[in-house]
Every structure is written in C-alpha cells, then in structure tokens.
Amino acid sequence: MTLRAPSGPHGARRTPFESVIGLEVHLALKTRSKLFCGCSAETFGDAPNVHVCPVCLGLPGSLPVVNRAAVDLAATFALALGCRITPQTQFHRKHYFYPDAPKNYQISQFDRPVGEAGVVEIGGRRIGITRCHLEEDAGRLVHPPYADHSLVDLNRAGAPLLEMVSEPDIRSPEEARLFLEHLRAIAQSLGVSDAAPEQGKMRADVNVSVRLPGEPLGTKVEIKNLNSFKSVQAAITLEARRQVLLREAGAPVEQETRGWNEGGQKTYVLRTKEGSADYRYLADPDLPPLHLDEVAIARLRGAMRELPEAKRERYVALGVRAAEAELIVLDVPQATMFDALLEAAGAIEPRPTPHTLATWLTGEVAHARKGAEGTLAPEDIDATALVALIAAVEARTITLTSAKELLGDVLAGADPATLIEARGLRQIGDADALGAMVDGVLADHPEVAADVRENPKALNALVGRVMRASGGQARADAVRALLQERLRLDPDGG
Amino acid sequence: MTSAVQIAKEVRSGGRSAVDVVTEALDRAAASQARTNAFVTISSERALVAARRIDDVVRSGREPGPLAGVPVAIKDNICTRGLRTTAGSAILRDFVPPYDATVVARLEAAGAIVLGKTNLDEFGMGSSSERSASGPVRHPLDPGRVTGGSSGGSAAAVADGVVPLALGSDTGGSVRQPAAFCGVVGCKPTYGLLSRYGLIAYASSLDQIGVLSRDVEDARLALAVMSGRDPLDATSVDAAVAPERALATSDAPLAGVRIGVVRELMGEGVAPGVRSALTALRARLEGLGAAVVEVSVPSVRLAVATYYVIATAEASSNLARYDAMLYGARVAVAGDDQERSMRRSRAAGLGREVQRRILMGTFVLSAGSFDAYYRRALQVRRLVADDVAAALAGVDALLTPTAPTVSWPLGARLDDPLAMYLGDVTTCIANLAGAPAVSVPAGIAEDDLPCGAQFVGAPFDEGRLLSIAAVAARS
C-alpha cells in the first residue's frame, strides 16, 4: 500500500503547514489473569465487580505480584517493534486521586520500561517507537442518568495494559491510521492482544502540533481517549485544522490536553499546562526489578509467531500482488484464512495460484464476510471446500457466475462438488452436445444468424441465446468457437 | 508466665487443654486491658473456638503443630480474616479483612491461637503508642508512662504476662523499642524473611513483621514457623530459621563470638543509666567468652533524616488508598463530588501525625524536591547499608542500646515530634540496611524502668543472632 505524501493537506483546505503527530497506544494484553493478581483479565461484558480480589481492590495489607505472562507478552511486542529490552525493568507508582484507581495510584513504569528505542516501517517510512511499558488498567466509572451518585466497576482494575509511545514521526491523519492498523496486526499476529478498539482493548491518545516545513516542533496538544481508528483520524484532522487556523490568525497554540467528542466530532479542553499533574513517581517497593536477560529474550524471540511484514514478503514472493498482500496481512483473521487456503490448495489439482486465491479472498470472500456482519469467523470457514470451489472455476468445471452463486453455501459449510452436481451446474464443454444446442439456436433464429453474418461484432447476441438455452452451463468460449465455425466467421472478427 | 515452648509441650502431650490455656489468658487480658489498654479487640469467641479445635486434634492423636494452644496477640495492623483490623486509625475503625495475613495463617496452622489485636500508633507511625484511635497504651509497670511504640500493645501484652508471644511490625524500631521499654524480647528479622502480605503498609521497603516474647527461644520458634517464601509477597525470600538453638550451654557459651559495640551510638544522647547498663552487659558478655570490640558506623548521624524521608515518601503513597470510597469511614457530602468526600474523609479519619507524615512524604516526592530529598535519601540509605555491612565484616553482631532512653511520661513528647523521631537513631539503621536485629532486656536503667540491648546481625543470620541474644538475655 502506498502512502499519501507525508505532509498532506488537512481536509479540503490547502495549507503550507504540516502536521507532526505522535501516538500513545494502550493495548489490553491477552493474559488469563490480571497484571498483579489471579483475577480474570477477560471481563468484557460481565456483571460489575465480579472479577475482583483484595489485591486489585487495593485492600489494606494486600500486595501485588507480577504476572510473568504479561511481562513476556509486553517484551515480545516490544521486540516486534524493534525495541531494546531493558535488562532490569522496574514498576513505578503513578499517583492521582480518582475513584477508578482503588489505591489512588496506578502501577506503571517510568524510567525503566520493558522496551525502548524501536522502529516500525510502514509504506517505506520509519516511525520511531519511544517506549513500550506495562501498566495496570483502571476501573470504570458509571454515571447513571439523573442520579445523584456515580458507580464504580473495578472488573477492569488491574488488567494488564501495554502502553506504546511513538516518536512524533507521523505526518498525516491517514498515516496515523495506517500506523494503528500495523500495530493492531502485529499485536494480533503475536497473540499479544485482541487489539479490538470496540471492546476498549485498543485505545489511543494523540499528540498533534503543526509547523511550517523546516521549523522546529510546534506546541503540542494531546487528545485523549480515542476509541476507534476513525476517531483518531478525525480528531487529528480537526485538531490540526484548529491549530493551523490559530497560526494563520497569528495566535499561539496553548499546550493543553483535549478530549474528543465523538457525537459532535470535535475536541474540547480537558486541562491546560498549569493544571498538569505531578504524579510523584515512586519505584514500587513491593515489586523488585524484573530481570530480562539474553536467555529470556532469545526464548521470546524463538517463540515469536510470524510478523505481518514477514507474511507480506512471503505472499509477494508467491506471486500475490503487493497491494493485496498488504490488505491481507493488515487483517489478521484474513491472513490466517489465507494461510489455510494456501495449505489446502497444496492438495488440489489443478492447484489455484496464490494470486487467484488472494483475489478471491480480498474480493468475493471479503464481500461475503462483510455481508454476514461478523457472523462469519475465518476459523469457521472450511478452507478445503473454498479452495475446491475456486479450483472448479479454474478447471472450467463451473462458470464464475455459478461459483459466485455457490460461495455463500460453501462458506456456510456445504461441499462444492455435491452442490455442483445437485444443482446441475457442471459446464457443458462437450462438442456434440454444444453443437446440437448451437444448431438449434441457429435454426430457431435465422434472421439473427443473418445479421451476424453481416455484422460479426453482433455474435454475442447468439452466444447469449445459446447460454440461455443451456441454462448457463455452456462453456462460453466453446460456444463462441462453434458459432464462428458454423457461420464461417473469421475468429478474430467476432 | 509459662513460655510458648512450654505451653505447646504441655498441650501437645495432653497434659493441659488449650481451652484452659486460652481461658486463663483471656482472664489476664481483661485484667490487663483495664490498666494498659493494650488491646483494640479481644477475640474471646474466636480464640475459644480455635482452642477447642486444638484439643480435638490432640485427643484424636493428630499433629496439632509446634505452637499448639499458644495464645498470641497480633498487632492491629496485621490482617485477620473476619476479625476487625483498624491499624489504630479512625478511618479503618470498622474494617474487617476478608483474608488473613500470611504470618497469621502460618501461626494458626502451627496451632497458635489469636487472642486479640493489639493497640498501636496509628498505621505504625509513632514511638510511644499514644497516637491511636483507641487511646494510648499504658506501661504495665507505670501507668503514667508510655510503652514505646508503635507495637506498644504487643509489648504490654507480653510484659504483663497476658501472652507469651505477640506479633508487631517494625519500620524504624517499632518492635524493638517498645520491647526494650517494657523489658521483653523484640526481634525484627531480616527484610524478606517474613511475608508482609496482610501487613497494612506504612513504608514498604522498611516494614518488617517482628516478634515480641519473654523468651528468646519463643521468638526463634515463632520465626521458624512463619518464615519461608510466600507467593503473595514478591519481596519475601526463601530462607528459614532453624527451630533449635545453636549455642551449647557451658561456662563460656560465647567463646569465639565477636561482638562490635557501635561507637557512635554509645556517646552523646544516650541516657547515663542506659549507657551504664550497656557497659555492665558488655562486661558480662566478655565474662561469657565473647570478644567485644569497638566498631564504627559513620553514616549513623544521617540515619534518622534518611529514614524519615524514605518512610514518609512511601507512607504518602501507601496511605493514598484511604479515601473511604470502597471501605473505611466516609464523610458523606451532598451530590457526587467524590473529591470533596475523599478530602473530608481523609481529614477526619487520619490522625495528625499520619497527616504530617503524608504531607512530608508528598513533599519529598514532588517534582521540585525529589532529587534534593528522596533521591539523596536513597543514596544515603545505600551508604548506611554499606557501613553496617562493613562494621559486621569483622564481628558476629553489633551491639547498641535499643533506645537512647527509658520510657517517658505519657504526653511528654507529643508536642515535640523531632525529639520523638531522634529516638529512632539506634534502631532505624537495621531497617535501612535490611538487617536482622533483636532487643533483649539489659536490666533496670533509670526510674526503676528497664532498658534494652540491641544486637544487629548480617542478613539471614537470625539463627546465630538469636543464640547470642539468648545468652545475653540470661546473663
């Protein structure tokens, strides 16, 4: 996939200003238990306050003990982003008073994060990764309408989060979105996170500033709590436009934190620089530094699953078009499906090419999955049946039209061979049978045949009639050849 | 008063029932409570239920544990499942933990019986046990005086003969100093030897649960039962204390033992009576075969300041959770202004000294003062630990007075926090270094009141340290 020019225009207005964008992304780590206790980390949709214990409630006397699986996932993700792993990583307490934090501090990381100084390459541009660190999630405040109180749900409190901070290397809202798509694909490929924004498992804060090319960095504004890729893109676009308008009016941009109003599609001030918090970071005395030595790092590297970038290169080497390969790997369920198709194709003759499979997957299959609105998970699809269907088209056993008709049933689990026979969709390629049909049509429509003799370009009118007579099963190219032969036309003319 | 070792022996053999032991202890507790206010809660029912269970186990011939039937008192900042645990604070006056501290679970598994929860300075912050929401603890020998603190209730309960064994917690001397004031044994083991899970944190990197007893061997047995790594405390260590004594009894039980008297802690600021008691002890130790030399811990003059920077910094963090949102005494405010509710609950529920330390700790961790105070304190802490290790290099244990003075009259230092803090100089070095230390009675020093001698050993060398202390205590 090619990127737009790095410093694109914002919205419809043309402006000489460029946007400078950095992202902070929170990923919910896919562990069984929370970061510092044994409670389940998978609480989405459950009744409030059922996944809690003395530790994640911060009861007096309770102590955190780190979940090593979360550390491994965080380090794996950091490695995938090319980060340097900190040999003795340390947890710090970040203090703020709010009822979503039962201890009134969050256990996070400060000067010794799990990983630092990485880089992600997208579309030929390098986006620097400042750091990847572990921290515990907060609970959730619920504000019942018209009530004089708020409610607290601490199911999520203590769930493991990975926070990734990028360098301000991103230059457009579109690039920000593409970067997020890459992160999601990496996280999902590695099994580090479901990275599902709609479940709150991937959240982003963005830092935006504008400048004229060549100027030093401008004053940045942070926009917090963006819950979809679409809102990230929209918020950056609008914030950059707001700042450009200020600059053009000669007004300064104030350093502040803004929130995102999804309904109104606008940002609003959360706090200004004067109100910035002093978190009083303190190395958590309850959690000794964790050692991640060379052996541990080598073990994590060894266990690492194939990354989207490696997958993309593999697909391209197999003959898949670059744009399709990118499309497939950025959608991890689709990539999983594609690998299954490639494997299934190995056992089928004639074998459809990876290129053909990719075209089907990103075209007809993607369309069908979209139509099924998420009820069609890739793991539910029988790859062998799907490949058999595609192979039947390749072998000219059925027409493309028939295949498209059957796709829905095959994705739902039907066997294509049985369907083809049951519905009599096998193409008629037999010369005698087709000859009889062609002769029948010519005899029934002498006036059309005469027209075609005069004007060979009108041959399709006859081809159509034969196809209809065959119930769509005649092989169109064979019909065409027979007609040309019967009418003694020059094959190149029709 | 019978020792824990002796009670367990009698109960295990069936010679005495645990119910009898506990009933007698409850009678003594009630009598003592009226004079000393040592307890926040006396758990009569729970204790009798446990005692009956121990007697059943003994009768059925099963193993009742090495502390079978021994009544113990638990400092009220150590969580007990289903038994109110206040930490001496108004904000936790109704807090009933849904879980046991690991040390409590291990004591009970060994057959010990929790008789009650002892009074303390709020959250362990104090050296006199006067700053408790349940009122001050009074000295068993002189009700006009303090027991020391913050484990004053545990010290009083042991000194008054209510229980042979009690748990305290020691952040800067809170087990050893009241033990010295009350004339009993107080042991703060190596940081990490005992799990802190369930200990309501004051300063996590310094806090360590300790034991108060009349007999050193009772302390040893209790440590043996409670030590060992706890998966619920990442700072706990897989180390053990052998339950048996190591030194043979003979004419010269300390032959070959080298003891270092810390020069800096025998001079100015130490009351004359305390100094002479220590000098007399030194002579007795030499008489028992020990080689006593002078050693130096130069950084000792920085210890109190360092201790208070680190302890208050951690306290400001640890005590942030007491906002009365989820538990604790809440001051309700109109509407859903949670910040006002938090502020007013903390102002009403936390005592003056606690608030003072939270403010100091918040200050030293703040952006403008972190480097000048907290970072520097961590550096000096390293220095103190190195000095203690260097002083221990040539000797088996360091010897100091446990506290520079004997007990003082109630209220005498309440308006002078600095004087109160300075008394921690002798004890807080062991917390800063993470080293084990034990205080044993060193005789009557002044005003008919006892003083203590403190032995500091190398980390995880409790076995030898307790053996030396046992000989000193008998001398």
Coordinates of all heavy atoms in Angstrom, one line a residue, chain A residues 54-55 57-65 93 95 97-99 102-105 143 148-150 154 278 280-282 285-288, chain B residues 79 95 98-99 196-200 204 231-235 317-318 320-323 326-327 335-336 338 342 362 365-367 370 374:
Chain A
P54 N -8.7 -8.9 47.0 CA -8.1 -7.9 47.8 C -7.0 -7.1 47.1 O -6.8 -5.9 47.3 CB -7.5 -8.7 49.0 CG -8.4 -9.9 49.1 CD -8.8 -10.2 47.7
V55 N -6.3 -7.8 46.2 CA -5.1 -7.1 45.5 C -5.6 -6.0 44.6 O -5.2 -4.9 44.6 CB -4.2 -8.1 44.8 CG1 -3.1 -7.4 44.1 CG2 -3.6 -9.1 45.8
L57 N -8.5 -4.7 44.4 CA -9.3 -3.7 45.1 C -8.4 -2.8 46.0 O -8.9 -1.8 46.5 CB -10.3 -4.4 46.1 CG -11.5 -5.2 45.4 CD1 -12.4 -5.8 46.4 CD2 -12.3 -4.2 44.5
G58 N -7.1 -3.1 46.1 CA -6.2 -2.3 46.9 C -6.6 -2.3 48.4 O -6.4 -1.3 49.1
L59 N -7.1 -3.5 48.9 CA -7.4 -3.5 50.3 C -6.2 -3.4 51.1 O -5.1 -3.8 50.7 CB -8.1 -4.9 50.6 CG -9.5 -5.1 50.0 CD1 -10.2 -6.3 50.6 CD2 -10.4 -3.8 50.2
P60 N -6.3 -2.9 52.4 CA -5.1 -2.7 53.2 C -4.4 -4.0 53.4 O -5.0 -5.1 53.6 CB -5.7 -2.3 54.6 CG -7.1 -1.7 54.2 CD -7.5 -2.5 53.0
G61 N -3.1 -4.0 53.3 CA -2.3 -5.2 53.5 C -2.1 -6.1 52.3 O -1.2 -6.9 52.3
S62 N -2.8 -5.8 51.2 CA -2.6 -6.7 50.0 C -1.4 -6.2 49.3 O -1.0 -5.1 49.4 CB -3.8 -6.6 49.1 OG -4.0 -5.3 48.6
L63 N -0.8 -7.1 48.6 CA 0.4 -6.8 47.8 C 0.3 -7.3 46.4 O -0.2 -8.4 46.1 CB 1.6 -7.5 48.5 CG 2.1 -7.1 49.9 CD1 3.1 -8.0 50.4 CD2 2.6 -5.6 49.8
P64 N 0.9 -6.6 45.5 CA 0.9 -7.1 44.1 C 2.0 -8.1 43.8 O 3.1 -8.0 44.4 CB 1.2 -5.8 43.3 CG 2.0 -5.0 44.2 CD 1.6 -5.3 45.6
V65 N 1.8 -9.0 43.0 CA 2.8 -9.9 42.5 C 2.7 -10.0 41.0 O 1.6 -10.3 40.5 CB 2.7 -11.4 43.1 CG1 3.8 -12.3 42.5 CG2 2.8 -11.3 44.6
R93 N 5.0 3.6 40.9 CA 3.6 4.0 41.2 C 3.4 5.5 40.7 O 4.3 6.3 40.9 CB 3.5 4.0 42.7 CG 3.6 2.7 43.4 CD 3.5 2.8 44.9 NE 3.6 1.5 45.6 CZ 3.5 1.4 46.9 NH1 3.3 2.5 47.6 NH2 3.6 0.2 47.5
H95 N 0.9 8.5 41.0 CA -0.2 8.9 41.9 C -1.2 9.9 41.4 O -0.8 10.9 40.8 CB 0.5 9.5 43.2 CG 1.4 8.6 43.9 ND1 2.7 8.5 43.6 CD2 1.2 7.7 44.8 CE1 3.3 7.5 44.3 NE2 2.4 7.0 45.1
F97 N -5.5 11.0 42.5 CA -6.7 10.6 43.3 C -7.9 10.6 42.4 O -8.4 11.6 41.8 CB -7.0 11.6 44.4 CG -6.1 11.4 45.6 CD1 -4.9 11.9 45.7 CD2 -6.6 10.6 46.7 CE1 -4.1 11.7 46.8 CE2 -5.8 10.3 47.8 CZ -4.5 10.9 47.8
Y98 N -8.5 9.4 42.2 CA -9.7 9.2 41.4 C -10.3 7.9 41.7 O -9.6 6.9 41.9 CB -9.4 9.3 39.9 CG -10.6 9.7 39.1 CD1 -11.2 11.0 39.2 CD2 -11.1 8.8 38.2 CE1 -12.3 11.3 38.5 CE2 -12.3 9.2 37.4 CZ -12.8 10.4 37.6 OH -14.0 10.7 36.9
P99 N -11.6 7.8 41.8 CA -12.2 6.5 42.3 C -12.0 5.3 41.4 O -12.3 4.2 41.8 CB -13.7 6.9 42.5 CG -13.8 8.4 42.5 CD -12.6 8.9 41.7
P102 N -8.3 2.2 42.8 CA -8.6 1.8 44.2 C -7.4 2.2 45.1 O -7.7 2.4 46.3 CB -8.8 0.3 44.1 CG -9.0 -0.1 42.7 CD -8.3 1.0 41.9
K103 N -6.2 2.2 44.7 CA -5.1 2.5 45.5 C -4.7 4.0 45.5 O -3.9 4.5 46.2 CB -3.8 1.7 45.2 CG -4.1 0.2 45.2 CD -2.8 -0.6 44.8 CE -2.4 -0.5 43.4 NZ -3.3 -1.1 42.4
N104 N -5.4 4.7 44.6 CA -5.1 6.1 44.3 C -3.7 6.3 43.7 O -3.1 7.3 43.8 CB -5.4 7.1 45.4 CG -6.9 7.3 45.6 OD1 -7.6 7.4 44.6 ND2 -7.4 7.3 46.8
Y105 N -3.2 5.2 43.2 CA -2.0 5.3 42.4 C -2.1 4.1 41.4 O -2.8 3.1 41.7 CB -0.7 5.2 43.1 CG -0.4 4.0 43.9 CD1 0.0 2.8 43.3 CD2 -0.5 4.0 45.3 CE1 0.3 1.7 44.1 CE2 -0.3 2.9 46.1 CZ 0.1 1.7 45.5 OH 0.4 0.6 46.3
H143 N -22.0 6.7 35.3 CA -22.8 7.8 35.7 C -24.2 7.5 35.3 O -24.6 7.8 34.2 CB -22.3 9.1 35.1 CG -20.8 9.3 35.4 ND1 -20.3 9.7 36.6 CD2 -19.8 9.2 34.5 CE1 -19.0 9.8 36.5 NE2 -18.6 9.5 35.3
D148 N -27.9 11.1 41.7 CA -27.1 12.0 42.5 C -25.8 11.3 42.9 O -25.1 11.7 43.8 CB -27.8 12.5 43.7 CG -28.1 11.3 44.7 OD1 -28.0 10.2 44.2 OD2 -28.5 11.6 45.8
H149 N -25.4 10.2 42.2 CA -24.2 9.5 42.5 C -23.6 8.8 41.3 O -24.3 8.8 40.2 CB -24.6 8.3 43.5 CG -25.6 7.4 43.0 ND1 -27.0 7.6 43.1 CD2 -25.5 6.3 42.2 CE1 -27.6 6.6 42.5 NE2 -26.7 5.8 42.0
S150 N -22.4 8.4 41.4 CA -21.8 7.6 40.3 C -21.5 6.2 40.9 O -21.4 6.0 42.1 CB -20.5 8.3 39.9 OG -20.7 9.6 39.5
L154 N -14.9 -2.2 39.1 CA -13.5 -2.4 39.2 C -13.1 -3.7 38.5 O -12.0 -4.2 38.7 CB -13.0 -2.4 40.6 CG -13.2 -1.0 41.3 CD1 -12.9 -1.0 42.8 CD2 -12.3 0.0 40.6
D278 N 1.4 16.4 38.9 CA 2.7 15.9 39.4 C 2.4 14.5 39.9 O 1.8 14.3 41.0 CB 3.2 16.8 40.5 CG 4.6 16.3 41.0 OD1 5.0 15.2 40.6 OD2 5.2 17.0 41.8
R280 N 4.3 12.2 41.0 CA 5.2 11.8 42.1 C 5.6 10.3 41.9 O 5.3 9.4 42.8 CB 4.5 12.0 43.4 CG 4.1 13.4 43.7 CD 3.7 13.7 45.1 NE 2.7 12.8 45.6 CZ 1.4 12.9 45.4 NH1 0.9 13.8 44.6 NH2 0.6 12.0 45.9
Y281 N 6.1 10.0 40.8 CA 6.5 8.6 40.5 C 7.5 8.0 41.6 O 8.4 8.7 42.0 CB 7.3 8.5 39.2 CG 6.4 8.5 38.0 CD1 6.1 9.6 37.2 CD2 5.8 7.3 37.6 CE1 5.3 9.6 36.1 CE2 4.9 7.2 36.5 CZ 4.7 8.4 35.8 OH 3.9 8.3 34.7
L282 N 7.2 6.8 42.1 CA 7.9 6.2 43.1 C 8.1 4.7 42.7 O 7.2 4.0 42.4 CB 7.1 6.2 44.4 CG 7.7 5.4 45.6 CD1 8.9 6.1 46.2 CD2 6.6 5.3 46.7
P285 N 8.0 -0.3 46.0 CA 8.8 -1.1 46.8 C 8.3 -2.5 47.0 O 9.0 -3.4 47.5 CB 8.8 -0.4 48.2 CG 7.6 0.5 48.1 CD 7.3 0.8 46.7
D286 N 7.1 -2.8 46.5 CA 6.5 -4.1 46.6 C 6.9 -5.0 45.5 O 6.7 -6.2 45.5 CB 5.0 -4.1 46.7 CG 4.5 -3.4 48.0 OD1 5.2 -3.5 49.0 OD2 3.4 -2.8 47.9
L287 N 7.5 -4.4 44.4 CA 7.8 -5.2 43.2 C 9.3 -5.0 42.8 O 9.7 -4.0 42.3 CB 6.9 -4.7 42.1 CG 5.4 -4.9 42.2 CD1 4.6 -4.0 41.3 CD2 5.1 -6.4 42.0
P288 N 10.1 -6.0 43.2 CA 11.5 -5.9 42.9 C 11.7 -5.9 41.4 O 10.9 -6.3 40.6 CB 12.1 -7.2 43.4 CG 11.0 -7.8 44.3 CD 9.7 -7.2 43.9
Chain B
C79 N -3.6 -8.1 59.2 CA -4.9 -8.5 58.9 C -5.3 -9.9 59.4 O -4.5 -10.8 59.3 CB -5.2 -8.4 57.4 SG -5.2 -6.8 56.8
F95 N -13.1 -1.8 59.7 CA -12.6 -2.6 58.6 C -12.4 -4.0 59.1 O -11.6 -4.3 60.0 CB -11.3 -2.0 58.1 CG -10.7 -2.9 56.9 CD1 -11.3 -3.0 55.7 CD2 -9.5 -3.6 57.1 CE1 -10.8 -3.8 54.7 CE2 -9.0 -4.4 56.1 CZ -9.6 -4.5 54.9
P98 N -11.2 -9.5 54.6 CA -11.7 -10.8 54.1 C -10.5 -11.9 54.0 O -10.7 -12.9 53.4 CB -12.3 -10.5 52.8 CG -11.5 -9.3 52.3 CD -11.0 -8.6 53.5
Y99 N -9.4 -11.6 54.6 CA -8.3 -12.5 54.4 C -7.3 -12.4 55.6 O -7.3 -11.4 56.3 CB -7.5 -12.3 53.1 CG -7.0 -10.9 53.0 CD1 -5.6 -10.6 53.4 CD2 -7.7 -9.8 52.6 CE1 -5.1 -9.4 53.4 CE2 -7.2 -8.5 52.6 CZ -5.9 -8.3 52.9 OH -5.4 -7.1 52.9
R196 N 5.1 -10.0 54.1 CA 4.4 -8.8 54.5 C 2.9 -8.9 54.1 O 2.2 -7.9 54.3 CB 5.0 -7.5 54.0 CG 6.4 -7.2 54.6 CD 7.0 -5.9 54.1 NE 7.3 -6.0 52.6 CZ 6.6 -5.3 51.7 NH1 5.7 -4.5 52.0 NH2 7.0 -5.5 50.4
Y197 N 2.5 -9.9 53.4 CA 1.1 -10.0 52.9 C 0.2 -9.9 54.0 O 0.2 -10.8 54.9 CB 0.9 -11.2 52.0 CG -0.4 -11.1 51.3 CD1 -0.5 -10.5 50.1 CD2 -1.6 -11.7 51.9 CE1 -1.8 -10.3 49.5 CE2 -2.8 -11.6 51.2 CZ -2.9 -10.9 50.0 OH -4.1 -10.7 49.4
G198 N -0.6 -8.9 54.1 CA -1.6 -8.7 55.2 C -1.1 -7.7 56.2 O -1.9 -7.4 57.1
L199 N 0.1 -7.3 56.1 CA 0.6 -6.2 57.0 C 0.2 -4.9 56.3 O 0.6 -4.6 55.2 CB 2.1 -6.3 57.2 CG 2.7 -5.0 57.8 CD1 2.2 -4.9 59.3 CD2 4.2 -5.1 57.8
I200 N -0.6 -4.1 57.0 CA -1.1 -2.8 56.5 C 0.2 -1.9 56.4 O 0.8 -1.6 57.4 CB -2.2 -2.2 57.3 CG1 -3.4 -3.1 57.3 CG2 -2.5 -0.8 56.9 CD1 -4.6 -2.7 58.1
S204 N 6.9 0.4 52.8 CA 7.0 -1.0 52.4 C 8.4 -1.5 52.3 O 8.7 -2.7 52.5 CB 6.4 -1.1 51.0 OG 5.1 -0.6 51.0
P231 N 4.3 -16.8 48.0 CA 4.0 -16.4 46.6 C 3.2 -15.1 46.6 O 3.1 -14.5 45.5 CB 3.2 -17.6 46.1 CG 2.8 -18.5 47.2 CD 3.8 -18.2 48.3
L232 N 2.6 -14.7 47.7 CA 1.8 -13.5 47.7 C 2.6 -12.2 48.0 O 2.1 -11.1 48.0 CB 0.6 -13.6 48.7 CG -0.4 -14.7 48.5 CD1 -1.4 -14.7 49.6 CD2 -1.1 -14.5 47.1
D233 N 3.9 -12.4 48.3 CA 4.8 -11.3 48.6 C 6.0 -11.4 47.8 O 6.9 -12.3 48.1 CB 5.1 -11.2 50.1 CG 6.1 -10.1 50.4 OD1 6.5 -9.3 49.5 OD2 6.4 -9.9 51.6
A234 N 6.2 -10.6 46.8 CA 7.3 -10.7 45.8 C 8.6 -10.3 46.5 O 9.7 -10.6 46.0 CB 7.1 -9.8 44.6
T235 N 8.6 -9.7 47.7 CA 9.8 -9.3 48.4 C 10.2 -10.4 49.4 O 11.2 -10.2 50.1 CB 9.7 -8.0 49.0 OG1 8.7 -8.0 50.1 CG2 9.4 -6.9 48.0
S317 N 2.4 7.4 49.7 CA 1.9 6.6 48.6 C 1.0 5.5 49.2 O -0.1 5.3 48.7 CB 3.1 6.0 47.9 OG 2.7 5.0 46.9
N318 N 1.5 4.8 50.2 CA 0.7 3.6 50.7 C -0.6 4.1 51.3 O -1.6 3.3 51.3 CB 1.5 2.9 51.8 CG 2.6 2.1 51.2 OD1 2.5 1.5 50.2 ND2 3.8 2.0 51.9
A320 N -2.4 6.6 50.4 CA -3.3 7.3 49.4 C -4.6 6.6 49.3 O -5.6 7.2 49.0 CB -2.6 7.4 48.1
R321 N -4.6 5.3 49.5 CA -5.8 4.5 49.3 C -6.9 4.7 50.3 O -8.0 4.3 50.0 CB -5.4 3.0 49.2 CG -5.1 2.4 50.5 CD -4.5 1.0 50.4 NE -3.3 1.0 49.6 CZ -2.8 -0.2 49.1 NH1 -3.4 -1.3 49.3 NH2 -1.6 -0.1 48.5
Y322 N -6.6 5.3 51.4 CA -7.6 5.5 52.4 C -8.5 6.8 52.1 O -8.3 7.8 52.6 CB -7.0 5.6 53.8 CG -6.2 4.3 54.1 CD1 -4.8 4.3 54.2 CD2 -6.8 3.1 54.1 CE1 -4.1 3.2 54.3 CE2 -6.1 1.9 54.2 CZ -4.8 1.9 54.4 OH -4.1 0.8 54.5
D323 N -9.4 6.6 51.1 CA -10.2 7.7 50.7 C -11.7 7.4 51.0 O -12.6 8.2 50.7 CB -10.1 7.9 49.2 CG -10.4 6.6 48.4 OD1 -11.0 5.7 48.9 OD2 -10.1 6.6 47.2
L326 N -14.3 2.9 48.9 CA -14.6 1.4 48.8 C -14.9 0.8 50.2 O -15.7 -0.1 50.4 CB -13.4 0.7 48.1 CG -13.7 -0.5 47.4 CD1 -14.7 -0.3 46.3 CD2 -12.4 -1.0 46.7
Y327 N -14.1 1.3 51.2 CA -14.2 0.8 52.6 C -13.7 2.0 53.4 O -13.1 2.9 53.0 CB -13.3 -0.4 52.8 CG -11.9 -0.2 52.4 CD1 -11.0 0.3 53.2 CD2 -11.5 -0.6 51.1 CE1 -9.7 0.6 52.9 CE2 -10.2 -0.3 50.7 CZ -9.3 0.2 51.6 OH -8.0 0.4 51.2
G335 N -24.4 15.4 46.8 CA -24.1 15.2 45.4 C -23.0 14.2 45.2 O -22.7 13.4 46.1
D336 N -22.4 14.1 44.0 CA -21.5 13.1 43.7 C -20.1 13.7 43.6 O -19.3 13.3 42.7 CB -21.8 12.3 42.5 CG -21.8 13.1 41.2 OD1 -21.7 14.3 41.3 OD2 -21.9 12.5 40.1
Q338 N -16.9 13.4 44.5 CA -16.1 12.4 45.2 C -14.8 13.0 45.7 O -14.3 12.6 46.7 CB -15.8 11.2 44.3 CG -14.7 11.4 43.3 CD -15.1 11.9 41.9 OE1 -16.3 12.0 41.7 NE2 -14.2 12.3 41.1
M342 N -13.6 12.5 49.5 CA -12.3 11.9 49.8 C -11.5 12.9 50.7 O -10.9 12.4 51.7 CB -11.4 11.8 48.5 CG -11.7 10.7 47.6 SD -10.5 10.7 46.2 CE -11.2 9.4 45.2
T362 N 4.6 13.5 50.6 CA 4.2 14.1 49.4 C 5.2 15.2 48.9 O 5.5 15.3 47.7 CB 2.8 14.7 49.6 OG1 1.9 13.7 50.0 CG2 2.2 15.2 48.2
L365 N 8.5 13.7 47.5 CA 8.3 13.1 46.2 C 7.9 14.0 45.1 O 7.8 13.7 43.9 CB 7.3 12.0 46.2 CG 7.6 10.7 47.0 CD1 6.5 9.7 46.9 CD2 8.9 10.0 46.3
S366 N 7.6 15.3 45.4 CA 7.2 16.2 44.4 C 8.3 16.7 43.5 O 9.5 16.6 43.8 CB 6.6 17.5 45.1 OG 5.5 17.1 45.9
A367 N 7.8 17.1 42.3 CA 8.8 17.4 41.2 C 10.0 18.3 41.7 O 11.1 18.0 41.4 CB 8.1 18.0 40.1
F370 N 12.2 16.1 44.7 CA 12.5 14.7 44.6 C 14.0 14.5 44.6 O 14.5 13.7 45.4 CB 12.0 14.2 43.3 CG 12.1 12.7 43.1 CD1 11.1 11.8 43.5 CD2 13.3 12.2 42.5 CE1 11.2 10.4 43.3 CE2 13.4 10.8 42.4 CZ 12.4 9.9 42.8
Y374 N 14.4 12.8 48.2 CA 14.2 11.4 48.0 C 15.4 10.7 47.4 O 15.9 9.7 47.9 CB 12.9 11.1 47.3 CG 12.5 9.6 47.3 CD1 12.1 9.0 48.5 CD2 12.6 8.9 46.1 CE1 11.8 7.7 48.5 CE2 12.3 7.5 46.2 CZ 11.9 6.9 47.3 OH 11.6 5.6 47.4

